[in-house]
Amino acid sequence: QVQLVESGGGLVQPGGSLTISCAASGRTFSSSTVGWFRQAPGKEREFVATISARGGRSDYADAVRDRFAISRDNTKNTVYLRMISLKPEDTAVYYCAAVLTPGLPPRRSRDYDYWGQGTQVTVSS
């Protein structure tokens, strides 16, 4: 079983940068694929990025591909999402999620078993 806690959200001006973190507990974390999802008010939760257990494979939503970077440090049981050139449409609650799975990391929220509580990212001037 994996416990996940997001942190690092806050208020950022358009064009700014922010890195948010997902800290995990549980001995299976280093074997888990981890994804980031986000949900804005009144909208469905959407895929943002995902990374394989050892960090060798990653994937991004088209809307963030050239601006966000996912990474992980398994010695710290932490996954990061570095965001640059932030836009108002990036405003959302950002969630991390984990799943034990082989192969390519999935993009669908229903494929993830463990979820954090989320951290708010607001992009506004």
Side-chain angles (χ1 to χ4, degrees):
Q1 196 169 24
V2 178
Q3 306 277 344
L4 305 171
V5 179
E6 303 94 336
S7 64
L11 177 63
V12 188
Q13 292 187 329
S17 301
L18 190 68
T19 297
I20 56 176
S21 301
C22 175
S25 62
R27 62 185 181 183
T28 62
F29 175 76
S30 62
S31 299
S32 298
T33 290
V34 176
W36 285 99
F37 297 80
R38 66 187 183 185
Q39 187 169 24
K43 299 182 68 176
E44 296 291 326
R45 185 172 297 184
E46 66 176 356
F47 168 75
V48 175
T50 185
I51 189 167
S52 60
R54 297 181 63 178
R57 299 184 299 277
S58 60
D59 196 15
Y60 299 89
D62 289 344
V64 308
R65 185 175 303 277
D66 296 326
R67 300 183 297 115
F68 292 10
I70 189 170
S71 62
R72 68 190 297 163
D73 184 346
N74 285 347
T75 69
K76 299 180 179 179
N77 271 15
T78 302
V79 171
Y80 306 94
L81 185 68
R82 185 171 190 269
M83 303 176 287
I84 66 170
S85 302
L86 283 161
K87 306 173 181 180
E89 51 262 46
D90 295 318
T91 296
V93 176
Y94 284 71
Y95 300 89
C96 64
V99 63
L100 280 165
T101 184
L104 296 175
R107 301 166 62 100
R108 299 172 298 186
S109 61
R110 68 183 181 91
D111 290 330
Y112 290 82
D113 294 324
Y114 307 102
W115 291 82
Q117 294 296 311
T119 187
Q120 176 72 47
V121 174
T122 302
V123 184
S124 176
S125 59

